[in-house]
Amino acid sequence: MLECSPPQVAYESRSHLRPSGLSSSLPGSSGGKPAYSFHVSADGQMQPVPFPPDALLGPGIPRHARQIHTLSHGEVVCAVTISTSTRHVYTGGKGCVKVWDISQPGSKSPMAQLDCLNRDNYIRSCKILPDGRTLIVGGEASTLSIWDLATPTPRIKAELTSSAPACYALAISPDNKVCFSCCSDGNIVVWDLGPVRTGTQYWHFYILAFRVPALFCVIPVVLVFMCAQIFSLGYCPTGEWLAVGMESSNVEVLHVSKPDKYQLHLHESCVLSLKFAYCGKWFVSTGKDNLLNAWRTPYGASIFQSKESSSVLSCDVSPDDKYIVTGSGDKKATVYEVVY
C-alpha cells in the first residue's frame, strides 16, 4: 500500500490552482487558453461551455474551502462519512472505522474504534442512516455490520451476510428502510431494514439480489453507454442530474431524461469519488491525481480546487453543506470548512 508522507495541502479558489495546460479563466473568455468544460449534444458534438455571469455567485455557492482538521487514521482511508449533526467524522481503513469529534479545534485523536472486519481487510464504504442513529459498514468481507450510534459507546446491533466476498459501495434510502450494497460478484443486494421494534431489539432483514443490467423484469428508463470505466457516481438531490467519475479522468454530468450532457476536464487521472452538496447546486470529485475539485451543477464551472499529498480515495459532504471530508492514500482524512 501507499506509504505515509508529510501532508502538503494547498486549497485555492477557482482563479489560482489549475492543472498544467488548463484554463485559469472561464471558457469563452479572452486569453486563448483551452476550456475545461464542454457541452456534448445528442449527436456527439462538443462545444466549450459559456458560463453564465452568476456561475460562481449567489446563495449556496461556495467561494472556497479551508482545511481545519487532519485526522491521522494510520491506514489508507478508503471510506469517510460525516454525521448528520456534523460533529463526528467516521474514517474507514484496515479492519476498523475510527470516530472523530471535529466540533472543537486542535489536534485530533479518535474517540472510538469500531472493529468491523478482520484486521487485514479494508473498509470500502460506510453510511449513516438519515436519522443519524445507525452506521452501516461494508468492505472486503461477506458481512455488513450495523452499528448503533445512539448508545454512549457504539455497538453492533446486527450483521447482514450475503454470498459475495466483498461490498464495494453502499447507499441508503431517505426513509431509512432500504440499503443497497454493490457486491464484488456483480450483484446489487437490496436489504429491507425495517421494521425496528423498540425494546425487543431485533431487526427484520429481507434480501433481494439482482445483476446489472438484468434487473429481472425492471426496464431501465434511460440506458447510457460510457466510453470508459465508471469509478464513482452521484445523484443530484434536485433529481435532474447524474454525475459520474471516469477511469479516463473525465467527469460527466448527464441529465436523467435528456440525451445532452456536460464533460469536465480538470482531473489528470481516474476520478475515484464524487458527492453532491445537499442543496444540489455544486458537487465535489476526487482522484488519483491528489485533487479535490468543486464544480457548479450542472455545467462544471470550477469553484475551487485542493491539492493533497496522495491519491484522494473517498469524500463526503455534510448535510448542511458546511464541511467536506476526504480520505487519502497517505493514511489520513482531511476536513475542510466550506466558505461562502
Side-chain angles (χ1 to χ4, degrees), residues 38 88 112 158 187 223 319:
F38 296 87
H88 298 127
N187 288 322
L223 184 61

Side-chain angles (χ1 to χ4, degrees), residues 248-268:
S248 63
S249 79
N250 294 339
V251 173
E252 299 202 358
V253 185
L254 304 92
H255 197 278
V256 297
S257 61
K258 299 176 183 178
D260 293 22
K261 66 180 181 180
Y262 295 94
Q263 192 174 96
L264 315 178
H265 298 258
L266 281 183
H267 282 288
E268 298 179 317

Side-chain angles (χ1 to χ4, degrees), residues 73-89:
H73 183 96
E75 296 287 351
V76 172
V77 179
C78 298
V80 293
T81 193
I82 307 176
S83 67
T84 51
S85 68
T86 72
R87 179 176 180 176
H88 298 127
V89 166

Side-chain angles (χ1 to χ4, degrees), residues 3 27 33 51 93 100 103 152 162 174 182 238 264 277 284 291 322 330:
E3 297 295 326
K33 295 180 180 180
F51 297 149
W100 310 78
S103 62
S162 70
C182 298
T238 64
L264 315 178
V284 294
L291 289 178
K322 292 183 178 180
D330 57 0

Side-chain angles (χ1 to χ4, degrees), residues 18-315:
R18 286 290 182 273
S20 176
L22 291 173
S23 175
S24 59
S25 58
L26 300 178
S29 61
S30 60
K33 295 180 180 180
Y36 60 84
S37 174
F38 296 87
H39 178 263
V40 184
S41 63
D43 60 1
Q45 296 297 313
M46 293 181 63
Q47 294 293 333
V49 175
F51 297 149
D54 63 348
L56 303 173
L57 303 173
I61 307 302
R63 291 173 29 236
H64 60 90
R66 64 184 184 92
Q67 180 183 328
I68 57 172
H69 298 298
T70 297
L71 311 178
S72 299
H73 183 96
E75 296 287 351
V76 172
V77 179
C78 298
V80 293
T81 193
I82 307 176
S83 67
T84 51
S85 68
T86 72
R87 179 176 180 176
H88 298 127
V89 166
Y90 299 79
T91 59
K94 243 184 188 180
C96 71
V97 171
K98 294 183 179 181
V99 187
W100 310 78
D101 186 344
I102 63 167
S103 62
Q104 300 296 328
S107 59
K108 298 298 175 186
S109 298
M111 58 180 292
Q113 178 173 310
L114 315 182
D115 294 317
C116 307
L117 304 178
N118 292 333
R119 187 172 181 178
D120 292 331
N121 294 343
Y122 276 94
I123 308 295
R124 301 300 293 266
S125 184
C126 55
K127 295 291 182 182
I128 297 178
L129 268 63
D131 64 7
R133 300 168 61 88
T134 303
L135 176 74
I136 302 183
V137 180
E140 296 172 352
S142 59
T143 301
L144 306 181
S145 58
I146 315 294
W147 290 81
D148 186 353
L149 304 179
T151 56
T153 300
R155 61 179 181 83
I156 290 182
K157 60 180 173 182
E159 291 186 332
L160 311 178
T161 301
S162 70
S163 59
C167 166
Y168 291 135
L170 293 167
I172 309 296
S173 64
D175 61 6
N176 293 0
K177 294 181 178 179
V178 179
C179 173
F180 302 87
S181 59
C182 298
C183 300
S184 56
D185 61 0
N187 288 322
I188 297 175
V189 180
V190 184
W191 304 91
D192 182 354
L193 300 181
V196 181
R197 297 189 178 182
T198 304
T200 58
Q201 295 186 353
Y202 74 90
W203 288 46
H204 289 169
F205 295 103
Y206 304 95
I207 183 170
L208 168 67
F210 52 81
R211 184 174 293 274
V212 179
L215 309 182
F216 292 139
C217 61
V218 178
I219 300 174
V221 176
V222 179
L223 184 61
V224 180
F225 293 95
M226 311 300 289
C227 59
Q229 187 174 355
I230 297 172
F231 277 16
S232 53
L233 179 148
Y235 184 62
C236 182
T238 64
E240 294 182 283
W241 301 99
L242 181 73
V244 293
M246 313 291 288
E247 181 185 23
S248 63
S249 79
N250 294 339
V251 173
E252 299 202 358
V253 185
L254 304 92
H255 197 278
V256 297
S257 61
K258 299 176 183 178
D260 293 22
K261 66 180 181 180
Y262 295 94
Q263 192 174 96
L264 315 178
H265 298 258
L266 281 183
H267 282 288
E268 298 179 317
S269 188
C270 50
V271 182
L272 300 175
S273 70
L274 190 150
K275 178 73 174 185
F276 274 92
Y278 284 75
C279 68
K281 295 180 179 180
W282 54 277
F283 65 96
V284 294
S285 61
T286 74
K288 194 176 179 180
D289 54 3
N290 306 1
L291 289 178
L292 164 69
N293 278 310
W295 314 88
R296 184 73 158 91
T297 307
Y299 41 77
S302 177
I303 302 172
F304 62 82
Q305 189 178 84
S306 171
K307 182 79 168 182
E308 298 197 9
S309 55
S310 184
S311 297
V312 188
L313 310 177
S314 53
C315 69

